[in-house]
Amino acid sequence: MIAPIDAGAVCILGIDPGLRVTGYGVIHRVGQSLRYVSSGVVRTPDAALPDRLKSILENLTQIIQRHAPDQVAVEKVFVNVNPQSTLLLGQARGAAICAAVSRSLPVSEYTALQVKQAVVGNGHAAKEQVQEMVRRLLALPGAPSADAADALACAICHAHGGLGLGRLATAGYRMRHGRLVR
């Protein structure tokens, strides 16, 4: 079910890319308030890589058409111990970004550390902590799945002053351990 659009709301789509499971979350920001709209996952078929990437692209394109977000926030790839896994995840991220830019949507990217810091206050928080804070921040009746929670957390991070909305005055600051410091 699609929630009605709030007057003056900015619609943000958060994406947690994955080759098997890609999480998505849609929120509205009205002033300083956040409102949950939708979330879920895109599960790719057990198929060759091009078919999986096509599935991510097509499903996220449908989600974008359905919710008409104004901005998109995507979690950045971290470097795994296994470089092959990192490359595959990067390709899933590329498919997700293509779904957004093909609709001329601005895309902001955040590391997992930045997202966790913005939502939980600890850049090294456990998945369960992220799920619980997302549940609380969006007043959800239950915790979303881990992938959907990560996508919603990415959208929340963006809404709380990430690149784009309510830009933080960052002149004279730098990022250190996921925080802005002088």
Side-chain angles (χ1 to χ4, degrees), residues 5-130:
I5 297 175
D6 297 317
V10 175
C11 184
I12 304 167
L13 169 63
I15 301 173
D16 177 36
L19 197 53
R20 294 189 188 285
V21 179
T22 292
Y24 72 89
V26 181
I27 63 172
H28 284 172
R29 177 181 175 199
V30 182
Q32 296 302 313
S33 298
L34 301 178
R35 189 163 81 73
Y36 173 83
V37 176
S38 178
S39 64
V41 296
V42 171
R43 294 188 190 282
T44 61
D46 192 15
L49 178 63
D51 293 328
R52 287 176 179 229
L53 297 175
K54 179 182 178 193
S55 176
I56 294 168
L57 179 66
E58 288 177 344
N59 280 282
L60 287 177
T61 297
Q62 289 175 0
I63 291 163
I64 289 168
Q65 288 171 342
R66 184 178 319 128
H67 295 288
D70 301 301
Q71 300 186 9
V72 178
V74 179
E75 191 170 303
K76 283 185 181 179
V77 174
F78 63 93
V79 178
N80 285 315
V81 174
N82 181 345
Q84 181 64 24
S85 295
T86 303
L87 288 171
L88 291 171
L89 182 56
Q91 291 180 46
R93 237 177 113 264
I97 291 170
C98 284
V101 299
S102 69
R103 303 288 295 204
S104 300
L105 293 171
V107 176
S108 298
E109 301 172 69
Y110 300 94
T111 65
L113 188 77
Q114 289 171 308
V115 170
K116 289 176 181 181
Q117 182 67 42
V119 174
V120 179
N122 174 3
H124 300 287
K127 285 227 180 245
E128 296 80 19
Q129 290 175 295
V130 173

